[in-house]
Amino acid sequence: MIAGLIAIGGLLVYHFGVHHIHNPRPLGGTNIDISRSPGVQTQTAIAIAPGDPRLLVEAADDDVVSVSTDGGRTWTRTNGPDAAVGACQHKTPRVAVDRAGREYIAFLSGRFCGDDLTPYLVVGERSSPGARWRLTRVTRPAWSYGYDDGPALAVGGDGTVDVAFQRSTSALRSTTFVSRSVDQGRTWSRQVEISASLVQPHLASIAVAGRRVYVAGIAAKLGVWVARSDDGGRSFGPPRSVARLAQNPAPTCSLAGFSPVPHEETQCTGPDPTVLVRGHEVAVVYADGGANGAGDVFVTLLGTNLRPRYHGQVNPPDGGSPSRQFMPTAALDAATGVLWACWYDEAYGDTSHVWFTCSASRDGELWSPPERAASVPSDGGALLGDGSQFGFYPAVAAAHGAAHPAWIDTRRPELLEDVFTTTLSERAALQG
């Protein structure tokens, strides 16, 4: 009875409050609930097959992998790969699909269920939807209490698979590493440290273009940074500062005393940079805030020398009182060269009414008027609360003129948080 009353109360709040908040921005497409299950899903990842835009793969932190074979109109939910015997998955999933339709998922696994101090990185692979997953452990502890954290995953055009991740090297230090597989995830190379000069790096993002591997993240001294490898990830040049951050969590996040801990997904969120590579140009999309408490989404474009050549704001200026745009994610449509950026936007409400919103750009400088991915707002306070407890990440994938955002949504209080998606038209966005 109590649970029923709580659900009814939530529905009434939604009907008389959230549902009637008006956002004049156009709606991009029909909303689809991917997860449709009770419980909390607060981390999601989505990928699209380069050779088949009908094949989409989504994973969340409920150990479920969802697949669409019709371009995102319908989804089939299946159990994700099982962790090793006696172990449990430790959230933070990342997914990718190669040109052959082979699916990959990277996530953290605890040595035993409930282990949140020494998780390690594993990558699962399967040849097609419905096939059996094959799991491979990427790393071994660097010391007795070593751990991995914050994975990022990318598949190259030649079928190579790269992961960037945070790795504990001692009781007082962790930093960003990269490893590569050239045999479809069966074996992994020696872990390569990006740079010994990085101080408290976090939130790694990775992109691959031929033999070049790009990794971006945040760090205490550099703010948002990017580094490049010209030899397939065997070595990296010095990290370059992309942008200083007014609000930089890197110096103190994910620390217990002076010791780093594997809690990046709950303690280091905010800037959430995404690195994208288009030809000889690199784009990094991220968020930052100011002294007035507002937040915005920014993009920095870099040339072949990794020197910034353009810096601008993605979302429009606030029309009235300062509002927050937060939790950005971004993708490149390799077929058209169009960049997509998505974020939560409270421009037409308050923290209790935030819409997941997206914008597109042909050149990274001029961005289309934002359109709503979400048809109704979510409770921003609940989302941020989830982030501090479970971690909180949206995602977007793009190919052949369409973008497929996936976001955490609170519109169904009886199910707590679900993962929703939609299909956005590049043509409609850029003409809007």
Side-chain angles (χ1 to χ4, degrees), residues 25 243 284-290 292 294-301 310-326 328 339 341-343 345 347 359-361 363-370:
R25 289 172 174 164
V284 181
V285 176
Y286 65 96
D288 196 14
N292 61 2
D296 293 296
V297 179
F298 298 96
V299 62
T300 298
L301 304 179
Y310 173 82
H311 174 77
Q313 185 170 309
V314 173
N315 60 282
D318 295 327
S321 59
S323 63
R324 290 186 303 174
Q325 289 76 37
F326 59 96
L339 302 172
C342 302
W343 63 91
D345 199 321
S359 182
S361 175
D363 60 6
E365 298 182 20
L366 180 64
W367 291 81
S368 67

mmCIF file of all heavy atoms in Angstrom, residues 25 243 284-290 292 294-301 310-326 328 339 341-343 345 347 359-361 363-370:
data_model
loop_
_atom_site.group_PDB
_atom_site.id
_atom_site.type_symbol
_atom_site.label_atom_id
_atom_site.label_comp_id
_atom_site.label_asym_id
_atom_site.label_seq_id
_atom_site.Cartn_x
_atom_site.Cartn_y
_atom_site.Cartn_z
ATOM 1 N N ARG A 25 11.100 24.834 -27.697
ATOM 2 C CA ARG A 25 11.987 24.251 -28.686
ATOM 3 C C ARG A 25 11.321 23.061 -29.377
ATOM 4 O O ARG A 25 10.532 22.336 -28.767
ATOM 5 C CB ARG A 25 13.292 23.815 -28.026
ATOM 6 C CG ARG A 25 14.170 24.994 -27.607
ATOM 7 C CD ARG A 25 15.348 24.562 -26.792
ATOM 8 N NE ARG A 25 16.245 25.677 -26.517
ATOM 9 C CZ ARG A 25 17.194 25.679 -25.591
ATOM 10 N NH1 ARG A 25 17.371 24.600 -24.827
ATOM 11 N NH2 ARG A 25 17.958 26.738 -25.412
ATOM 12 N N ALA A 243 41.426 23.695 -22.727
ATOM 13 C CA ALA A 243 40.738 24.835 -22.122
ATOM 14 C C ALA A 243 40.900 24.767 -20.612
ATOM 15 O O ALA A 243 40.861 23.681 -20.021
ATOM 16 C CB ALA A 243 39.260 24.835 -22.491
ATOM 17 N N VAL A 284 36.795 18.919 -29.189
ATOM 18 C CA VAL A 284 36.555 18.470 -27.820
ATOM 19 C C VAL A 284 35.356 19.245 -27.288
ATOM 20 O O VAL A 284 35.374 20.477 -27.235
ATOM 21 C CB VAL A 284 37.780 18.691 -26.913
ATOM 22 C CG1 VAL A 284 37.482 18.182 -25.507
ATOM 23 C CG2 VAL A 284 39.008 17.985 -27.485
ATOM 24 N N VAL A 285 34.311 18.515 -26.930
ATOM 25 C CA VAL A 285 33.088 19.100 -26.379
ATOM 26 C C VAL A 285 33.066 18.818 -24.881
ATOM 27 O O VAL A 285 33.319 17.684 -24.455
ATOM 28 C CB VAL A 285 31.841 18.509 -27.060
ATOM 29 C CG1 VAL A 285 30.559 19.047 -26.421
ATOM 30 C CG2 VAL A 285 31.851 18.803 -28.559
ATOM 31 N N TYR A 286 32.759 19.834 -24.089
ATOM 32 C CA TYR A 286 32.779 19.676 -22.633
ATOM 33 C C TYR A 286 31.879 20.739 -21.998
ATOM 34 O O TYR A 286 31.381 21.640 -22.681
ATOM 35 C CB TYR A 286 34.205 19.822 -22.093
ATOM 36 C CG TYR A 286 34.785 21.197 -22.284
ATOM 37 C CD1 TYR A 286 34.744 22.144 -21.265
ATOM 38 C CD2 TYR A 286 35.360 21.572 -23.499
ATOM 39 C CE1 TYR A 286 35.255 23.420 -21.442
ATOM 40 C CE2 TYR A 286 35.876 22.835 -23.690
ATOM 41 C CZ TYR A 286 35.812 23.762 -22.656
ATOM 42 O OH TYR A 286 36.311 25.024 -22.843
ATOM 43 N N ALA A 287 31.683 20.636 -20.697
ATOM 44 C CA ALA A 287 30.878 21.611 -19.952
ATOM 45 C C ALA A 287 31.741 22.309 -18.924
ATOM 46 O O ALA A 287 32.748 21.779 -18.451
ATOM 47 C CB ALA A 287 29.697 20.926 -19.270
ATOM 48 N N ASP A 288 31.331 23.516 -18.591
ATOM 49 C CA ASP A 288 32.009 24.262 -17.532
ATOM 50 C C ASP A 288 31.017 25.253 -16.944
ATOM 51 O O ASP A 288 30.031 25.629 -17.591
ATOM 52 C CB ASP A 288 33.240 24.998 -18.069
ATOM 53 C CG ASP A 288 34.169 25.459 -16.956
ATOM 54 O OD1 ASP A 288 34.008 24.991 -15.814
ATOM 55 O OD2 ASP A 288 35.066 26.285 -17.233
ATOM 56 N N GLY A 289 31.269 25.673 -15.719
ATOM 57 C CA GLY A 289 30.395 26.617 -15.042
ATOM 58 C C GLY A 289 31.124 27.888 -14.686
ATOM 59 O O GLY A 289 32.338 27.992 -14.821
ATOM 60 N N GLY A 290 30.366 28.860 -14.235
ATOM 61 C CA GLY A 290 30.926 30.143 -13.835
ATOM 62 C C GLY A 290 30.576 30.477 -12.404
ATOM 63 O O GLY A 290 29.938 29.701 -11.693
ATOM 64 N N ASN A 292 28.438 32.526 -11.315
ATOM 65 C CA ASN A 292 27.018 32.756 -11.072
ATOM 66 C C ASN A 292 26.228 31.469 -10.916
ATOM 67 O O ASN A 292 25.001 31.496 -10.787
ATOM 68 C CB ASN A 292 26.405 33.599 -12.201
ATOM 69 C CG ASN A 292 26.522 32.914 -13.559
ATOM 70 O OD1 ASN A 292 27.022 31.795 -13.650
ATOM 71 N ND2 ASN A 292 26.063 33.583 -14.589
ATOM 72 N N ALA A 294 25.727 29.207 -13.139
ATOM 73 C CA ALA A 294 25.247 28.681 -14.411
ATOM 74 C C ALA A 294 26.276 27.732 -14.994
ATOM 75 O O ALA A 294 27.424 27.680 -14.564
ATOM 76 C CB ALA A 294 24.953 29.823 -15.371
ATOM 77 N N GLY A 295 25.872 27.005 -16.002
ATOM 78 C CA GLY A 295 26.788 26.121 -16.694
ATOM 79 C C GLY A 295 26.486 26.137 -18.173
ATOM 80 O O GLY A 295 25.344 26.374 -18.580
ATOM 81 N N ASP A 296 27.492 25.914 -18.990
ATOM 82 C CA ASP A 296 27.318 25.932 -20.434
ATOM 83 C C ASP A 296 28.116 24.804 -21.051
ATOM 84 O O ASP A 296 29.015 24.222 -20.431
ATOM 85 C CB ASP A 296 27.772 27.274 -21.017
ATOM 86 C CG ASP A 296 26.879 28.429 -20.590
ATOM 87 O OD1 ASP A 296 25.703 28.427 -20.962
ATOM 88 O OD2 ASP A 296 27.369 29.322 -19.868
ATOM 89 N N VAL A 297 27.793 24.503 -22.314
ATOM 90 C CA VAL A 297 28.503 23.497 -23.092
ATOM 91 C C VAL A 297 29.388 24.220 -24.102
ATOM 92 O O VAL A 297 28.932 25.139 -24.797
ATOM 93 C CB VAL A 297 27.524 22.558 -23.811
ATOM 94 C CG1 VAL A 297 28.283 21.525 -24.641
ATOM 95 C CG2 VAL A 297 26.625 21.860 -22.795
ATOM 96 N N PHE A 298 30.649 23.808 -24.192
ATOM 97 C CA PHE A 298 31.623 24.471 -25.043
ATOM 98 C C PHE A 298 32.249 23.475 -26.011
ATOM 99 O O PHE A 298 32.209 22.263 -25.809
ATOM 100 C CB PHE A 298 32.725 25.108 -24.202
ATOM 101 C CG PHE A 298 32.244 26.181 -23.270
ATOM 102 C CD1 PHE A 298 31.948 25.894 -21.948
ATOM 103 C CD2 PHE A 298 32.071 27.485 -23.713
ATOM 104 C CE1 PHE A 298 31.501 26.876 -21.080
ATOM 105 C CE2 PHE A 298 31.619 28.479 -22.861
ATOM 106 C CZ PHE A 298 31.332 28.173 -21.545
ATOM 107 N N VAL A 299 32.842 24.016 -27.061
ATOM 108 C CA VAL A 299 33.621 23.217 -27.990
ATOM 109 C C VAL A 299 34.928 23.936 -28.270
ATOM 110 O O VAL A 299 34.969 25.165 -28.390
ATOM 111 C CB VAL A 299 32.853 22.961 -29.303
ATOM 112 C CG1 VAL A 299 32.554 24.266 -30.035
ATOM 113 C CG2 VAL A 299 33.627 22.006 -30.215
ATOM 114 N N THR A 300 36.001 23.176 -28.346
ATOM 115 C CA THR A 300 37.296 23.689 -28.780
ATOM 116 C C THR A 300 37.743 22.860 -29.977
ATOM 117 O O THR A 300 37.707 21.624 -29.938
ATOM 118 C CB THR A 300 38.340 23.601 -27.662
ATOM 119 O OG1 THR A 300 37.928 24.419 -26.560
ATOM 120 C CG2 THR A 300 39.689 24.103 -28.148
ATOM 121 N N LEU A 301 38.147 23.552 -31.045
ATOM 122 C CA LEU A 301 38.652 22.901 -32.245
ATOM 123 C C LEU A 301 40.162 23.068 -32.296
ATOM 124 O O LEU A 301 40.687 24.158 -32.056
ATOM 125 C CB LEU A 301 38.011 23.513 -33.496
ATOM 126 C CG LEU A 301 36.480 23.503 -33.547
ATOM 127 C CD1 LEU A 301 35.996 24.171 -34.833
ATOM 128 C CD2 LEU A 301 35.928 22.091 -33.447
ATOM 129 N N TYR A 310 39.938 27.422 -32.402
ATOM 130 C CA TYR A 310 38.613 28.017 -32.192
ATOM 131 C C TYR A 310 38.053 27.524 -30.869
ATOM 132 O O TYR A 310 38.206 26.354 -30.498
ATOM 133 C CB TYR A 310 37.648 27.630 -33.317
ATOM 134 C CG TYR A 310 36.219 28.076 -33.043
ATOM 135 C CD1 TYR A 310 35.818 29.379 -33.317
ATOM 136 C CD2 TYR A 310 35.292 27.200 -32.480
ATOM 137 C CE1 TYR A 310 34.513 29.798 -33.035
ATOM 138 C CE2 TYR A 310 33.992 27.611 -32.210
ATOM 139 C CZ TYR A 310 33.615 28.902 -32.484
ATOM 140 O OH TYR A 310 32.323 29.322 -32.197
ATOM 141 N N HIS A 311 37.410 28.426 -30.155
ATOM 142 C CA HIS A 311 36.735 28.072 -28.905
ATOM 143 C C HIS A 311 35.403 28.794 -28.871
ATOM 144 O O HIS A 311 35.340 30.009 -29.107
ATOM 145 C CB HIS A 311 37.578 28.478 -27.692
ATOM 146 C CG HIS A 311 36.872 28.269 -26.382
ATOM 147 N ND1 HIS A 311 36.739 27.028 -25.803
ATOM 148 C CD2 HIS A 311 36.234 29.137 -25.553
ATOM 149 C CE1 HIS A 311 36.070 27.153 -24.669
ATOM 150 N NE2 HIS A 311 35.760 28.418 -24.497
ATOM 151 N N GLY A 312 34.322 28.073 -28.614
ATOM 152 C CA GLY A 312 33.013 28.707 -28.605
ATOM 153 C C GLY A 312 32.025 27.944 -27.747
ATOM 154 O O GLY A 312 32.274 26.820 -27.294
ATOM 155 N N GLN A 313 30.873 28.574 -27.549
ATOM 156 C CA GLN A 313 29.805 27.994 -26.756
ATOM 157 C C GLN A 313 28.825 27.295 -27.685
ATOM 158 O O GLN A 313 28.435 27.825 -28.718
ATOM 159 C CB GLN A 313 29.093 29.090 -25.960
ATOM 160 C CG GLN A 313 28.034 28.587 -24.991
ATOM 161 C CD GLN A 313 27.537 29.690 -24.062
ATOM 162 O OE1 GLN A 313 28.342 30.386 -23.436
ATOM 163 N NE2 GLN A 313 26.220 29.853 -23.976
ATOM 164 N N VAL A 314 28.421 26.081 -27.315
ATOM 165 C CA VAL A 314 27.509 25.299 -28.141
ATOM 166 C C VAL A 314 26.063 25.730 -27.916
ATOM 167 O O VAL A 314 25.317 25.982 -28.861
ATOM 168 C CB VAL A 314 27.680 23.793 -27.853
ATOM 169 C CG1 VAL A 314 26.619 22.982 -28.594
ATOM 170 C CG2 VAL A 314 29.076 23.331 -28.233
ATOM 171 N N ASN A 315 25.638 25.792 -26.671
ATOM 172 C CA ASN A 315 24.257 26.171 -26.364
ATOM 173 C C ASN A 315 24.075 27.677 -26.488
ATOM 174 O O ASN A 315 25.026 28.451 -26.299
ATOM 175 C CB ASN A 315 23.873 25.713 -24.964
ATOM 176 C CG ASN A 315 24.754 26.332 -23.879
ATOM 177 O OD1 ASN A 315 25.876 25.878 -23.686
ATOM 178 N ND2 ASN A 315 24.254 27.350 -23.190
ATOM 179 N N PRO A 316 22.875 28.147 -26.806
ATOM 180 C CA PRO A 316 22.640 29.594 -26.910
ATOM 181 C C PRO A 316 22.820 30.285 -25.565
ATOM 182 O O PRO A 316 22.704 29.653 -24.511
ATOM 183 C CB PRO A 316 21.183 29.684 -27.382
ATOM 184 C CG PRO A 316 20.833 28.336 -27.876
ATOM 185 C CD PRO A 316 21.673 27.365 -27.118
ATOM 186 N N PRO A 317 23.093 31.585 -25.575
ATOM 187 C CA PRO A 317 23.170 32.325 -24.309
ATOM 188 C C PRO A 317 21.838 32.260 -23.570
ATOM 189 O O PRO A 317 20.768 32.157 -24.182
ATOM 190 C CB PRO A 317 23.490 33.760 -24.757
ATOM 191 C CG PRO A 317 24.050 33.620 -26.126
ATOM 192 C CD PRO A 317 23.392 32.434 -26.737
ATOM 193 N N ASP A 318 21.909 32.317 -22.248
ATOM 194 C CA ASP A 318 20.685 32.327 -21.444
ATOM 195 C C ASP A 318 19.857 33.557 -21.775
ATOM 196 O O ASP A 318 20.366 34.677 -21.848
ATOM 197 C CB ASP A 318 21.026 32.318 -19.951
ATOM 198 C CG ASP A 318 21.729 31.027 -19.549
ATOM 199 O OD1 ASP A 318 21.411 29.979 -20.147
ATOM 200 O OD2 ASP A 318 22.579 31.068 -18.639
ATOM 201 N N GLY A 319 18.558 33.341 -21.964
ATOM 202 C CA GLY A 319 17.685 34.456 -22.306
ATOM 203 C C GLY A 319 17.277 35.296 -21.112
ATOM 204 O O GLY A 319 16.987 36.477 -21.249
ATOM 205 N N GLY A 320 17.215 34.707 -19.936
ATOM 206 C CA GLY A 320 16.811 35.436 -18.743
ATOM 207 C C GLY A 320 17.813 35.206 -17.635
ATOM 208 O O GLY A 320 18.989 35.522 -17.758
ATOM 209 N N SER A 321 17.328 34.646 -16.511
ATOM 210 C CA SER A 321 18.226 34.355 -15.408
ATOM 211 C C SER A 321 19.164 33.217 -15.786
ATOM 212 O O SER A 321 18.843 32.380 -16.641
ATOM 213 C CB SER A 321 17.410 33.960 -14.171
ATOM 214 O OG SER A 321 16.612 32.829 -14.439
ATOM 215 N N PRO A 322 20.349 33.181 -15.192
ATOM 216 C CA PRO A 322 21.315 32.141 -15.546
ATOM 217 C C PRO A 322 20.742 30.746 -15.325
ATOM 218 O O PRO A 322 20.062 30.484 -14.336
ATOM 219 C CB PRO A 322 22.490 32.409 -14.598
ATOM 220 C CG PRO A 322 22.353 33.847 -14.236
ATOM 221 C CD PRO A 322 20.885 34.123 -14.195
ATOM 222 N N SER A 323 20.992 29.850 -16.259
ATOM 223 C CA SER A 323 20.528 28.471 -16.156
ATOM 224 C C SER A 323 21.689 27.533 -16.459
ATOM 225 O O SER A 323 22.712 27.947 -16.999
ATOM 226 C CB SER A 323 19.364 28.213 -17.123
ATOM 227 O OG SER A 323 19.790 28.386 -18.465
ATOM 228 N N ARG A 324 21.474 26.276 -16.113
ATOM 229 C CA ARG A 324 22.545 25.294 -16.280
ATOM 230 C C ARG A 324 22.281 24.411 -17.492
ATOM 231 O O ARG A 324 21.169 23.969 -17.735
ATOM 232 C CB ARG A 324 22.669 24.426 -15.033
ATOM 233 C CG ARG A 324 23.210 25.149 -13.832
ATOM 234 C CD ARG A 324 23.444 24.190 -12.699
ATOM 235 N NE ARG A 324 22.212 23.466 -12.352
ATOM 236 C CZ ARG A 324 22.165 22.478 -11.455
ATOM 237 N NH1 ARG A 324 23.278 22.089 -10.847
ATOM 238 N NH2 ARG A 324 21.032 21.887 -11.181
ATOM 239 N N GLN A 325 23.349 24.173 -18.222
ATOM 240 C CA GLN A 325 23.384 23.137 -19.241
ATOM 241 C C GLN A 325 24.489 22.178 -18.808
ATOM 242 O O GLN A 325 25.644 22.593 -18.685
ATOM 243 C CB GLN A 325 23.678 23.730 -20.624
ATOM 244 C CG GLN A 325 22.528 24.547 -21.215
ATOM 245 C CD GLN A 325 22.359 25.920 -20.597
ATOM 246 O OE1 GLN A 325 23.349 26.585 -20.266
ATOM 247 N NE2 GLN A 325 21.132 26.360 -20.422
ATOM 248 N N PHE A 326 24.157 20.933 -18.554
ATOM 249 C CA PHE A 326 25.125 20.049 -17.909
ATOM 250 C C PHE A 326 25.050 18.639 -18.478
ATOM 251 O O PHE A 326 24.151 18.288 -19.223
ATOM 252 C CB PHE A 326 24.915 20.039 -16.392
ATOM 253 C CG PHE A 326 23.554 19.581 -15.941
ATOM 254 C CD1 PHE A 326 23.336 18.266 -15.561
ATOM 255 C CD2 PHE A 326 22.493 20.467 -15.873
ATOM 256 C CE1 PHE A 326 22.094 17.840 -15.137
ATOM 257 C CE2 PHE A 326 21.237 20.058 -15.447
ATOM 258 C CZ PHE A 326 21.042 18.740 -15.076
ATOM 259 N N PRO A 328 27.196 16.947 -20.728
ATOM 260 C CA PRO A 328 27.234 16.881 -22.192
ATOM 261 C C PRO A 328 27.772 15.547 -22.694
ATOM 262 O O PRO A 328 28.510 14.838 -22.004
ATOM 263 C CB PRO A 328 28.188 18.016 -22.557
ATOM 264 C CG PRO A 328 29.155 18.039 -21.413
ATOM 265 C CD PRO A 328 28.325 17.717 -20.183
ATOM 266 N N LEU A 339 28.900 17.192 -36.591
ATOM 267 C CA LEU A 339 29.095 16.994 -35.166
ATOM 268 C C LEU A 339 27.756 17.141 -34.448
ATOM 269 O O LEU A 339 26.947 18.015 -34.785
ATOM 270 C CB LEU A 339 30.077 18.018 -34.601
ATOM 271 C CG LEU A 339 31.474 18.053 -35.226
ATOM 272 C CD1 LEU A 339 32.246 19.252 -34.690
ATOM 273 C CD2 LEU A 339 32.226 16.772 -34.940
ATOM 274 N N ALA A 341 26.102 17.458 -30.424
ATOM 275 C CA ALA A 341 26.317 17.625 -28.994
ATOM 276 C C ALA A 341 24.963 17.593 -28.302
ATOM 277 O O ALA A 341 23.984 18.166 -28.805
ATOM 278 C CB ALA A 341 27.026 18.946 -28.693
ATOM 279 N N CYS A 342 24.883 16.903 -27.177
ATOM 280 C CA CYS A 342 23.646 16.794 -26.404
ATOM 281 C C CYS A 342 23.949 17.070 -24.942
ATOM 282 O O CYS A 342 25.057 16.817 -24.467
ATOM 283 C CB CYS A 342 23.024 15.409 -26.557
ATOM 284 S SG CYS A 342 22.641 14.914 -28.253
ATOM 285 N N TRP A 343 22.947 17.554 -24.212
ATOM 286 C CA TRP A 343 23.126 17.907 -22.816
ATOM 287 C C TRP A 343 21.766 18.034 -22.136
ATOM 288 O O TRP A 343 20.725 18.093 -22.797
ATOM 289 C CB TRP A 343 23.896 19.227 -22.689
ATOM 290 C CG TRP A 343 23.166 20.410 -23.282
ATOM 291 C CD1 TRP A 343 22.294 21.265 -22.657
ATOM 292 C CD2 TRP A 343 23.223 20.858 -24.653
ATOM 293 N NE1 TRP A 343 21.817 22.213 -23.528
ATOM 294 C CE2 TRP A 343 22.374 21.987 -24.765
ATOM 295 C CE3 TRP A 343 23.922 20.431 -25.780
ATOM 296 C CZ2 TRP A 343 22.202 22.682 -25.966
ATOM 297 C CZ3 TRP A 343 23.748 21.109 -26.983
ATOM 298 C CH2 TRP A 343 22.896 22.217 -27.060
ATOM 299 N N ASP A 345 19.271 20.449 -20.131
ATOM 300 C CA ASP A 345 19.076 21.895 -20.206
ATOM 301 C C ASP A 345 17.926 22.299 -19.287
ATOM 302 O O ASP A 345 16.823 21.754 -19.376
ATOM 303 C CB ASP A 345 18.748 22.288 -21.650
ATOM 304 C CG ASP A 345 18.971 23.768 -21.930
ATOM 305 O OD1 ASP A 345 18.646 24.592 -21.043
ATOM 306 O OD2 ASP A 345 19.461 24.089 -23.023
ATOM 307 N N ALA A 347 16.909 25.506 -19.202
ATOM 308 C CA ALA A 347 16.641 26.867 -19.654
ATOM 309 C C ALA A 347 15.179 27.265 -19.523
ATOM 310 O O ALA A 347 14.860 28.456 -19.480
ATOM 311 C CB ALA A 347 17.085 27.032 -21.106
ATOM 312 N N SER A 359 22.046 19.501 -30.407
ATOM 313 C CA SER A 359 22.325 20.472 -31.452
ATOM 314 C C SER A 359 23.346 19.861 -32.406
ATOM 315 O O SER A 359 24.127 18.988 -32.016
ATOM 316 C CB SER A 359 22.872 21.767 -30.839
ATOM 317 O OG SER A 359 23.103 22.751 -31.822
ATOM 318 N N ALA A 360 23.352 20.318 -33.662
ATOM 319 C CA ALA A 360 24.255 19.782 -34.685
ATOM 320 C C ALA A 360 25.052 20.906 -35.325
ATOM 321 O O ALA A 360 24.642 22.070 -35.326
ATOM 322 C CB ALA A 360 23.461 19.023 -35.749
ATOM 323 N N SER A 361 26.205 20.560 -35.899
ATOM 324 C CA SER A 361 27.057 21.559 -36.537
ATOM 325 C C SER A 361 27.841 20.922 -37.678
ATOM 326 O O SER A 361 28.385 19.823 -37.539
ATOM 327 C CB SER A 361 28.033 22.160 -35.524
ATOM 328 O OG SER A 361 28.939 23.038 -36.160
ATOM 329 N N ASP A 363 30.527 22.570 -39.010
ATOM 330 C CA ASP A 363 31.922 22.998 -38.898
ATOM 331 C C ASP A 363 32.425 23.107 -37.467
ATOM 332 O O ASP A 363 33.583 23.447 -37.246
ATOM 333 C CB ASP A 363 32.123 24.339 -39.606
ATOM 334 C CG ASP A 363 31.258 25.456 -39.028
ATOM 335 O OD1 ASP A 363 30.570 25.233 -38.005
ATOM 336 O OD2 ASP A 363 31.261 26.559 -39.615
ATOM 337 N N GLY A 364 31.571 22.851 -36.488
ATOM 338 C CA GLY A 364 31.975 22.953 -35.097
ATOM 339 C C GLY A 364 31.928 24.361 -34.542
ATOM 340 O O GLY A 364 32.123 24.553 -33.340
ATOM 341 N N GLU A 365 31.677 25.342 -35.383
ATOM 342 C CA GLU A 365 31.616 26.732 -34.933
ATOM 343 C C GLU A 365 30.170 27.238 -34.865
ATOM 344 O O GLU A 365 29.760 27.844 -33.880
ATOM 345 C CB GLU A 365 32.442 27.610 -35.862
ATOM 346 C CG GLU A 365 33.919 27.245 -35.888
ATOM 347 C CD GLU A 365 34.728 28.175 -36.779
ATOM 348 O OE1 GLU A 365 34.257 29.289 -37.070
ATOM 349 O OE2 GLU A 365 35.838 27.779 -37.205
ATOM 350 N N LEU A 366 29.408 26.986 -35.912
ATOM 351 C CA LEU A 366 28.015 27.400 -35.947
ATOM 352 C C LEU A 366 27.144 26.196 -35.633
ATOM 353 O O LEU A 366 27.153 25.201 -36.369
ATOM 354 C CB LEU A 366 27.652 27.974 -37.317
ATOM 355 C CG LEU A 366 26.208 28.447 -37.500
ATOM 356 C CD1 LEU A 366 25.908 29.615 -36.558
ATOM 357 C CD2 LEU A 366 25.951 28.839 -38.953
ATOM 358 N N TRP A 367 26.371 26.279 -34.552
ATOM 359 C CA TRP A 367 25.544 25.168 -34.096
ATOM 360 C C TRP A 367 24.071 25.456 -34.345
ATOM 361 O O TRP A 367 23.620 26.606 -34.238
ATOM 362 C CB TRP A 367 25.789 24.883 -32.623
ATOM 363 C CG TRP A 367 27.154 24.311 -32.385
ATOM 364 C CD1 TRP A 367 28.328 25.011 -32.295
ATOM 365 C CD2 TRP A 367 27.499 22.930 -32.270
ATOM 366 N NE1 TRP A 367 29.388 24.150 -32.108
ATOM 367 C CE2 TRP A 367 28.907 22.863 -32.089
ATOM 368 C CE3 TRP A 367 26.758 21.750 -32.275
ATOM 369 C CZ2 TRP A 367 29.574 21.661 -31.929
ATOM 370 C CZ3 TRP A 367 27.421 20.541 -32.115
ATOM 371 C CH2 TRP A 367 28.816 20.504 -31.950
ATOM 372 N N SER A 368 23.331 24.426 -34.683
ATOM 373 C CA SER A 368 21.910 24.577 -34.966
ATOM 374 C C SER A 368 21.145 24.965 -33.707
ATOM 375 O O SER A 368 21.611 24.710 -32.587
ATOM 376 C CB SER A 368 21.343 23.265 -35.511
ATOM 377 O OG SER A 368 21.369 22.251 -34.510
ATOM 378 N N PRO A 369 19.984 25.613 -33.863
ATOM 379 C CA PRO A 369 19.147 25.879 -32.688
ATOM 380 C C PRO A 369 18.852 24.568 -31.967
ATOM 381 O O PRO A 369 18.535 23.559 -32.616
ATOM 382 C CB PRO A 369 17.880 26.488 -33.285
ATOM 383 C CG PRO A 369 18.305 27.050 -34.594
ATOM 384 C CD PRO A 369 19.375 26.123 -35.108
ATOM 385 N N PRO A 370 18.945 24.530 -30.650
ATOM 386 C CA PRO A 370 18.730 23.266 -29.923
ATOM 387 C C PRO A 370 17.320 22.732 -30.155
ATOM 388 O O PRO A 370 16.353 23.482 -30.287
ATOM 389 C CB PRO A 370 18.944 23.668 -28.467
ATOM 390 C CG PRO A 370 19.772 24.905 -28.518
ATOM 391 C CD PRO A 370 19.349 25.624 -29.754
#
